């Protein structure tokens, strides 16, 4: 699988969905001939008119039908073209941008593209200017879109034959973490403290620690999109001589859902049970 930079992908996809848009009625016709250009003509006179269409922002969080599209032109004839762009033109632009967002979400889900830091923080700005010969679309450079990474929430529970105190310590004591993970670890088990496990494959920060009750962490895997963290909460529940561990995780990239389940079930829960057996045998 090849992962591509989101900014270059966006430029190509916007080119694909915006070029070739045609709006037409009995009085006039406009067609996008390239990403930054639309040709607009009055049918009866063949006259060209100046105007502007601006899309202030576009976000995956909002409905495309709610996307603001501002249309304006210089005073004079050609109001029919302005009306055409405010009605049929707006509808087709929104439809094209909807296709763009659907494709973007699909690509993220498949893990084909990863966002750069700049990409996730910027918004798309598209401006269309109707000159004497052309209606131009001007996009901010680089073209980028503020979009949330598609994520899922996970809930898992597991029973351990040990006390709450023992299980809590396995997640907060460096020596025990290194034993069940079978790899070097760095732990600062306090609020705001950093942690690193599995030779740096897993990193994060402690948000909250309630001794023997709960641990909340910012948590990420090395191959996740840059600077994206999930929130992992571990709740320790004593029950009939055992401890029930409840895992609640929010913000897992959709394309990493199965990997996340494997990580916790196989690399955490099962390895911790093996460690507990060794501790019991040696005690």
């Amino acid at each position: 699988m090849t992962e591509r930079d989101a900014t270059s992908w966006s430029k190509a996809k916007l080119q694909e969905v915006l070029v070739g848009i045609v709006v037409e009625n009995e009085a006039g016709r406009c067609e996008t001939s390239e990403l930054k250009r639309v040709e607009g003509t009055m049918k009866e006179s063949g006259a060209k008119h100046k105007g502007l269409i601006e899309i202030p922002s576009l976000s995956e969080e909002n409905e495309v039908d709610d996307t603001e599209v501002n249309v304006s032109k210089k005073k004079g004839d050609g109001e029919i073209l302005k009306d055409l762009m405010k009605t049929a033109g707006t509808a087709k632009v929104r439809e094209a941008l909807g296709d763009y967002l659907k494709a973007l979400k699909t690509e993220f889900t498949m893990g084909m593209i990863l966002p750069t830091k700049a990409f996730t923080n910027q918004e798309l700005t598209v401006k269309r200017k109707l000159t004497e010969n052309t209606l131009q679309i001007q996009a901010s450079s680089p073209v980028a879109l503020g979009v949330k990474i598609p994520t899922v929430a996970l809930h898992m529970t597991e029973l351990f034959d040990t006390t709450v105190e023992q299980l809590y310590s396995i997640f907060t004591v460096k020596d025990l973490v290194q034993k069940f993970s079978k790899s070097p670890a760095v732990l600062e088990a306090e609020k705001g403290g950093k942690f690193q496990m599995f030779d740096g494959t897993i990193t994060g920060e402690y948000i909250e620690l309630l001794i023997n009750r709960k641990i909340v962490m910012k948590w990420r895997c090395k191959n996740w999109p840059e600077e994206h963290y999930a929130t992992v909460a571990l709740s320790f529940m004593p029950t009939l001589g055992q401890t029930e561990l409840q895992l609640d995780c929010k913000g897992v990239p959709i394309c990493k859902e199965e990997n996340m389940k494997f990580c916790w079930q196989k690399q955490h829960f099962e390895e911790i049970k093996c460690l507990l057996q060794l501790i019991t045998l040696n005690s």
Side-chain angles (χ1 to χ4, degrees):
M1 181 178 292
T2 301
E3 295 175 343
R4 290 170 287 159
D5 175 77
T7 301
S8 58
W9 181 90
S10 287
K11 289 179 180 179
K13 194 63 184 178
L14 286 169
Q15 177 86 12
E16 177 185 330
V17 299
L18 289 175
V19 170
I21 291 178
V22 175
V23 288
E24 184 174 10
N25 61 15
E26 66 280 357
R29 183 180 190 276
C30 293
E31 178 179 357
T32 57
S33 57
E34 59 183 78
L35 182 59
K36 295 184 178 181
R37 179 168 295 179
V38 176
E39 295 182 357
T41 307
M42 294 289 292
K43 287 186 177 179
E44 183 175 340
S45 64
K48 321 295 184 190
H49 297 274
K50 295 181 179 181
L52 176 71
I53 294 182
E54 182 179 2
I55 303 169
S57 65
L58 173 68
S59 173
E60 190 257 351
E61 296 181 32
N62 302 322
E63 294 293 332
V64 173
D65 289 344
D66 295 330
T67 300
E68 184 181 359
V69 179
N70 301 322
V71 181
S72 61
K73 64 175 292 294
K74 290 186 176 182
K75 293 181 179 180
D77 295 335
E79 287 296 316
I80 193 69
L81 280 182
K82 177 181 175 181
D83 293 339
L84 176 62
M85 294 308 300
K86 287 181 69 173
T87 53
T90 293
K92 289 212 170 186
V93 168
R94 285 173 173 165
E95 181 181 351
L97 294 175
D99 292 339
Y100 168 80
L101 288 177
K102 287 178 184 177
L104 180 66
K105 186 172 183 178
T106 298
E107 294 284 317
F108 270 127
T109 302
M110 294 174 63
M112 295 296 290
I113 58 174
L114 296 178
T116 61
K117 182 177 180 180
F119 175 81
T120 57
N121 291 332
Q122 295 181 2
E123 291 185 332
L124 172 70
T125 301
V126 179
K127 294 183 178 180
R128 296 179 170 196
K129 291 183 178 179
L130 182 59
T131 65
E132 289 187 1
N133 299 312
T134 61
L135 179 68
Q136 294 187 334
I137 299 176
Q138 295 182 330
S140 61
S141 181
V143 176
L145 177 67
V147 62
K148 293 196 305 182
I149 297 170
T151 62
V152 294
L154 300 179
H155 177 76
M156 301 172 69
T157 61
E158 193 77 16
L159 278 175
F160 294 87
D161 291 323
T162 189
T163 63
V164 166
E165 292 80 7
Q166 177 75 72
L167 188 58
Y168 183 89
S169 67
I170 287 176
F171 283 96
T172 54
V173 176
K174 178 180 177 180
D175 181 56
L176 294 175
V177 169
Q178 292 183 149
K179 284 182 177 178
F180 87 74
S181 66
K182 299 181 176 65
S183 61
V186 176
L187 269 79
E188 300 170 7
E190 60 185 29
K191 185 175 181 179
K194 309 294 185 182
F195 63 85
Q196 181 175 303
M197 299 170 56
F198 299 102
D199 282 327
T201 301
I202 304 301
T203 57
E205 178 181 326
Y206 292 103
I207 299 173
E208 181 181 21
L209 294 100
L210 301 177
I211 296 176
N212 300 330
R213 291 167 53 198
K214 190 173 186 179
I215 300 172
V216 182
M217 304 169 279
K218 283 175 57 179
W219 194 102
R220 66 171 274 108
C221 189
K222 190 175 182 179
N223 64 356
W224 283 13
E226 183 182 359
E227 295 192 11
H228 178 79
Y229 287 82
T231 300
V232 173
L234 300 174
S235 299
F236 301 81
M237 316 290 292
T239 172
L240 300 175
Q242 297 178 305
T243 299
E244 179 182 275
L245 180 65
Q246 297 182 356
L247 167 71
D248 288 288
C249 187
K250 298 179 181 179
V252 179
I254 288 178
C255 59
K256 304 298 181 182
E257 179 180 5
E258 293 305 315
N259 290 343
M260 186 69 161
K261 290 178 181 177
F262 178 88
C263 176
W264 281 95
Q265 187 63 50
K266 300 295 184 182
Q267 297 177 300
H268 285 75
F269 298 163
E270 293 186 12
E271 293 297 334
I272 288 172
K273 287 183 177 181
C274 289
L275 175 60
L276 288 170
Q277 289 177 351
L278 288 174
I279 292 174
T280 301
L281 289 172
N282 293 330
S283 62

